[in-house]
Amino acid sequence: MLNNPNMIRGNENGTNVVLKRPNKWRETLKEYKKSKHLFIMLFPALIWFAIFHYGPLYGIQLAFKDFSPVKGIWGSEWVGLDHFRFLFFQSPDFARIFTNTLLISLYNLIFGFPAPIILALLLNELRSNLFKRFAQSISYIPHFFSWVILSGIIIVMLSPSEGPVNFILQMFGMEPIYFLADPNYFRPALVATGIWKEIGWGTIIYLAALSGVDPTLYEAAVIDGAGRWKRIFHITLPSILPVVSIMFILSLGGILNAGFDQIFNLYSPAVYEVADVIDTYVYRAGIVQGQFGLTTAVGLFKNVIGIALVLGTNYAMKKMGQEGVL
């Protein structure tokens, strides 16, 4: 150790002092002890994740087995990639459910992702704090209701015989529209109702990011003669861009999660052709028909695609100089 020049330093008296190499484990342990109360608070969440998120991972092996309830998961025979071969090359349903999932998720991403950003920008421009709080509270409310309750409200609202939406359309001389039973209107209705439910809740993160923007930037822009639009495009949007990029990466990770609860409560056999997605297929084939191996393969495929999209987008965002999640 004494031969290592990095470990020897001269002091002001002209003699050499041997420096001790920092022990990483000791430093880490010291940091843990310093924050032990935070880690104690974290334990319930870790236990919850271990039991309900990591524990069920052993069930992934069902994707490679011919599951028999009598033999159990461990006793069932291995079939290799047979479920995936059937899924990709022989299943008459997979192309349809994959296309539906991708299209509905893309529509949600294109129209649903910018919606809370736009609402947050509009709320940020309001001068009346009372009206701003009222608008925020009203927009949050649908988030706290389950899709079971909201589906009942939506079905009544869009009813072709008694719904107020069709009543207004008929006032303008239009024919009633079967929004939830017509394949041409089901996806737009799905995206619109999804935005209505989550737009208020989604603004919370963006409003928090907007509150951190330095107000002196706006004051300097006003002195320079910048109008409201210029302040939004040159100060507000660039300031919240890191948050937007992180939320976009997280949204892409769930692109194949088209929304089981919403679709399951709103769809019907009349719109299966455009509404049946991976999650509803997994429920129907797995729970109802008992094809556990095949549906596990479908779920595994969906999660692999999601991880690949998150890693790919995260890499692209970092290359563009934006914030990443990893």
Side-chain angles (χ1 to χ4, degrees), residues 244-318:
V244 173
S245 66
I246 290 173
M247 297 305 295
F248 183 70
I249 292 170
L250 295 176
S251 298
L252 273 183
I255 195 168
L256 294 185
N257 293 322
F260 171 78
D261 291 344
Q262 181 188 12
I263 296 173
F264 186 74
N265 284 289
L266 290 176
Y267 81 159
S268 62
V271 291
Y272 270 4
E273 198 61 33
V274 297
D276 200 16
V277 294
I278 290 177
D279 290 334
T280 52
Y281 175 77
V282 166
Y283 168 78
R284 208 168 52 252
I287 304 297
V288 179
Q289 300 175 7
Q291 301 180 50
F292 298 106
L294 180 65
T295 51
T296 306
V298 175
L300 184 59
F301 166 76
K302 188 182 82 168
N303 291 331
V304 169
I305 295 292
I307 291 172
L309 284 172
V310 167
L311 294 176
T313 315
N314 185 68
Y315 178 79
M317 286 292 181
K318 283 188 173 180

Side-chain angles (χ1 to χ4, degrees), residues 1-9 16-21:
M1 181 183 291
L2 294 177
N3 294 328
N4 187 348
N6 294 326
M7 303 305 295
I8 301 174
R9 293 286 185 278
N16 290 331
V17 176
V18 178
L19 300 178
K20 289 184 179 178
R21 187 189 296 275

Side-chain angles (χ1 to χ4, degrees), residues 97-312:
I97 62 170
F98 184 69
T99 305
N100 288 340
T101 306
L102 209 56
L103 283 176
I104 291 173
S105 298
L106 280 175
Y107 292 154
N108 282 330
L109 195 66
I110 294 169
F111 299 104
F113 181 75
I117 301 173
I118 295 169
L119 180 61
L121 292 174
L122 292 173
L123 291 173
N124 190 53
E125 293 298 319
L126 289 176
R127 292 291 170 262
S128 170
N129 285 330
L130 184 64
F131 181 71
K132 183 178 177 180
R133 288 174 188 168
F134 175 75
Q136 278 181 264
S137 303
I138 291 294
S139 63
Y140 292 163
I141 289 175
H143 171 80
F144 296 102
F145 292 97
S146 72
W147 272 115
V148 177
I149 297 172
L150 290 181
S151 296
I153 297 172
I154 292 167
I155 289 169
V156 172
M157 294 286 288
L158 300 181
S159 168
S161 56
E162 301 173 351
V165 174
N166 272 304
F167 177 75
I168 294 171
L169 291 178
Q170 289 179 60
M171 284 176 62
F172 289 96
M174 298 174 67
E175 292 293 323
I177 297 174
Y178 291 75
F179 288 99
L180 300 179
D182 188 335
N184 295 319
Y185 291 98
F186 185 79
R187 284 174 182 162
L190 207 64
V191 175
T193 53
I195 292 174
W196 169 62
K197 184 176 187 297
E198 298 298 341
I199 188 171
W201 192 252
T203 57
I204 292 176
I205 293 176
Y206 299 111
L207 286 172
L210 287 169
S211 66
V213 180
D214 188 354
T216 59
L217 295 174
Y218 293 111
E219 292 169 6
V222 171
I223 292 171
D224 290 341
R228 183 166 289 186
W229 284 107
K230 284 189 176 179
R231 293 201 296 271
I232 290 174
F233 282 106
H234 296 287
I235 298 174
T236 308
L237 284 176
S239 299
I240 65 170
L241 199 55
V243 177
V244 173
S245 66
I246 290 173
M247 297 305 295
F248 183 70
I249 292 170
L250 295 176
S251 298
L252 273 183
I255 195 168
L256 294 185
N257 293 322
F260 171 78
D261 291 344
Q262 181 188 12
I263 296 173
F264 186 74
N265 284 289
L266 290 176
Y267 81 159
S268 62
V271 291
Y272 270 4
E273 198 61 33
V274 297
D276 200 16
V277 294
I278 290 177
D279 290 334
T280 52
Y281 175 77
V282 166
Y283 168 78
R284 208 168 52 252
I287 304 297
V288 179
Q289 300 175 7
Q291 301 180 50
F292 298 106
L294 180 65
T295 51
T296 306
V298 175
L300 184 59
F301 166 76
K302 188 182 82 168
N303 291 331
V304 169
I305 295 292
I307 291 172
L309 284 172
V310 167
L311 294 176

